[in-house]
Amino acid sequence: MAKKLKLSGINKKKKPVVHEETGKIKVIVLKEEKVSEEKEVSEEKEAELVERPKDYKFRFEPTKKYFTISVYAFGVIALAIIFKLALQNIPSFSVGLKKFSIVIQPFIVAFFIAFIVNPIVKALADKFYGKTLNIKKPKVCLALGIATTYIIIIAVLVVCFTYIIPQVTNSITELILNSDTLYKKGEAWLNDFGEKVPILDTEYIQNKIEQSFPQLISFGTDFVKNVFPKILNASISIAKTAINILLSIAISIYMIYDKRMLSKNSARVIYAFVPKKKADTFLDVTRECGSIFTGFIVGKTIDSTIIGILCFILMSILKLPYAILISVIVGVTNMIPYFGPFIGAVPGILLYLFMSPIQALVFAIMILALQQFDGWILGPKILGDSTGLTPLWVIFGITVGGAYGGVIGMFLGVPFVAVIAYLSDMLITGRLKKRNIEIR
């Protein structure tokens, strides 16, 4: 009589034995006591041979292996068909892709807003409302943190639109209207300086200024004449943009509030299809890259805001004109590491040279002192070593980012290079470890 065998595949006894933290999401690994699959399969075949009659005919029996092969084959065929249809209908495909990108644009913007704002919300919710005010309910702390953060952001935007931007616009308009007077003052100063310092070829400098000045005047005049019609014509576009921004802000609030659920679902998907060790590594790397990026952006924004405010205070004390305009330029350009303060100083120095060389010298000394304070005291306290890059790689990131993305590229190039450097270091370290090589 045939021996009775268990044909149920793998006999598993599940016991939760390991608890691991992935952010705030718990990953529980169930220990499996497996009976040898290969042994059971051989016993199954043995049982089949014993129980099969002599007139047995082979029949196809579906298994997990055949199902996996079928899924992969179907996926490859489907992708090939989609790729072929995309090539045959490139114009229609590009139009559809463009429409889809416009539709999901608020969600993309909301993701970046939530990505940048989340560290501030977390700090307020955990440290201020949770520890300082001793509020016990985490959801209440999170809601208060979100509300406080967005109130601060809205207040800053209101101040910018009601006070700073009008002042900057008035300063630019005043400079354009007084450009002829400034040019004559600058020309007189240059001639006087040329007489005192004969070794300097001031005539060449004056010729270059005379060649470029008419173009500057024409640009300023056209700007003043055309700015209001352009604003009027763009009112519909501005309204649409405002609606998208409000929608993005609302979506970002929901993203931050439901962050734990989104993280949990993402972790479930990753652990469902990726081996555990690779999933752990992927989540750790993603978390570290995110902290590098957000740490640099948030820290540099705070640092540049403080530098802009200090610049305005110092210029007001020194009674330098156009304090708000120059301070905004200095604060914005300070977002660029190393070169930012000097780039921001150039417009102010050139402007004050036309007005008063003494003011230009005072402004240059003030910017130099401010840059030293930022580089040695303020920057290290706020940013620390957020990127982990040497000055050489920072300059490389600024150069490449500026070449391909302009001013924004100069700013974002540094965290991008920092993330690439971190990933490269992990890959190289892992490869050297596998080969039992250590470089000192």
Side-chain angles (χ1 to χ4, degrees):
M1 189 171 179
K3 185 181 179 181
K4 290 185 180 180
L5 300 171
K6 292 183 179 179
L7 304 178
S8 57
I10 299 174
N11 184 19
K12 300 179 182 178
K13 295 180 181 179
K14 298 184 179 180
K15 298 178 181 178
V17 295
V18 182
H19 295 269
E20 297 183 2
E21 289 285 340
T22 307
K24 291 187 178 181
I25 307 301
K26 290 184 179 179
V27 180
I28 301 175
V29 182
L30 302 177
K31 187 177 179 182
E32 298 177 353
E33 299 175 0
K34 299 184 180 180
V35 181
S36 176
E37 185 177 359
E38 185 178 351
K39 183 178 178 181
E40 287 197 2
V41 170
S42 62
E43 290 177 350
E44 181 180 350
K45 289 181 179 178
E46 182 183 346
E48 288 178 356
L49 290 172
V50 173
E51 294 177 356
R52 283 175 186 170
K54 293 182 179 179
D55 58 345
Y56 175 81
K57 293 183 179 180
F58 177 77
R59 293 177 298 173
F60 174 77
E61 296 179 2
T63 62
K64 186 178 179 181
K65 179 181 177 181
Y66 291 127
F67 177 75
T68 304
I69 293 172
S70 302
V71 169
Y72 278 116
F74 177 78
V76 171
I77 294 169
L79 288 174
I81 293 171
I82 292 171
F83 184 70
K84 182 181 178 182
L85 292 174
L87 289 177
Q88 290 177 346
N89 302 277
I90 289 178
S92 303
F93 182 75
S94 60
V95 170
L97 190 63
K98 187 177 180 180
K99 288 183 178 179
F100 180 73
S101 65
I102 292 172
V103 170
I104 66 167
Q105 189 175 11
F107 292 90
I108 297 172
V109 175
F111 174 78
F112 281 106
I113 293 173
F115 186 74
I116 295 170
V117 170
N118 181 60
I120 304 173
V121 174
K122 187 177 179 182
L124 287 172
D126 294 343
K127 296 180 180 179
F128 181 70
Y129 290 108
K131 293 182 179 179
T132 306
L133 299 183
N134 200 23
I135 297 175
K136 300 297 183 182
K137 295 182 178 179
K139 288 189 176 181
V140 175
C141 293
L142 180 60
L144 290 172
I146 292 171
T148 306
T149 303
Y150 279 88
I151 287 171
I152 294 171
I153 292 172
I154 292 169
V156 171
L157 291 176
V158 168
V159 170
C160 289
F161 280 105
T162 57
Y163 182 70
I164 297 176
I165 292 178
Q167 291 288 334
V168 170
T169 305
N170 292 336
S171 299
I172 293 172
T173 306
E174 184 180 344
L175 282 172
I176 293 170
L177 294 175
N178 296 331
S179 57
D180 190 37
T181 305
L182 291 174
Y183 173 71
K184 289 178 180 178
K185 285 184 178 180
E187 187 179 17
W189 174 83
L190 200 60
N191 290 330
D192 185 56
F193 187 75
E195 292 176 1
K196 292 179 180 179
V197 187
I199 196 172
L200 184 64
D201 188 8
T202 56
E203 186 178 352
Y204 173 78
I205 300 173
Q206 188 173 351
N207 290 334
K208 288 294 181 183
I209 293 174
E210 288 177 355
Q211 290 175 8
S212 60
F213 188 73
Q215 298 176 357
L216 183 64
I217 294 294
S218 176
F219 170 78
T221 306
D222 292 340
F223 177 80
V224 173
K225 288 181 180 178
N226 299 327
V227 66
F228 295 106
K230 286 181 179 178
I231 290 175
L232 186 62
N233 293 332
S235 59
I236 297 175
S237 177
I238 291 172
K240 289 181 179 178
T241 304
I243 292 171
N244 285 334
I245 290 173
L246 292 174
L247 182 61
S248 299
I249 291 172
I251 295 171
S252 68
I253 292 172
Y254 283 107
M255 283 183 174
I256 295 173
Y257 190 77
D258 294 333
K259 182 186 69 173
R260 191 181 186 283
M261 184 190 70
L262 294 172
S263 301
K264 180 181 176 181
N265 290 333
S266 301
R268 291 179 71 240
V269 171
I270 293 168
Y271 279 100
F273 296 99
V274 180
K276 184 184 176 300
K277 287 185 178 180
K278 292 183 178 180
D280 291 339
T281 304
F282 176 78
L283 291 177
D284 290 339
V285 169
T286 304
R287 194 179 301 112
E288 185 64 26
C289 292
S291 65
I292 291 172
F293 215 88
T294 53
F296 178 80
I297 292 176
V298 174
K300 200 63 181 172
T301 302
I302 296 171
D303 175 72
S304 299
T305 303
I306 295 172
I307 290 297
I309 294 171
L310 288 176
C311 182
F312 174 73
I313 294 171
L314 291 173
M315 290 184 71
S316 300
I317 293 171
L318 296 170
K319 296 182 180 180
L320 294 173
Y322 306 108
I324 292 181
L325 174 62
I326 301 300
S327 299
V328 169
I329 294 172
V330 170
V332 171
T333 55
N334 192 69
M335 296 287 288
I336 302 169
Y338 291 126
F339 301 108
F342 299 104
I343 294 172
V346 170
I349 292 173
L350 292 176
L351 173 63
Y352 292 132
L353 275 175
F354 282 100
M355 298 174 64
S356 170
I358 296 175
Q359 288 182 339
L361 180 62
V362 170
F363 176 75
I365 294 172
M366 185 203 76
I367 288 294
L368 182 62
L370 201 61
Q371 193 271 338
Q372 294 300 314
F373 168 74
D374 183 31
W376 291 98
I377 300 173
L378 184 64
K381 282 188 176 296
I382 294 177
L383 291 169
D385 192 16
S386 60
T387 59
L389 295 177
T390 61
L392 176 64
W393 286 111
V394 172
I395 295 171
F396 175 79
I398 294 170
T399 305
V400 175
Y404 288 96
V407 177
I408 297 175
M410 293 175 74
F411 168 59
L412 294 178
V414 176
F416 269 115
V417 171
V419 169
I420 293 170
Y422 170 73
L423 295 175
S424 302
D425 180 68
M426 280 196 62
L427 178 63
I428 293 169
T429 304
R431 298 284 296 178
L432 290 175
K433 191 174 180 181
K434 285 182 179 179
R435 301 182 68 181
N436 294 322
I437 297 175
E438 184 177 354
I439 309 297
R440 293 183 180 180

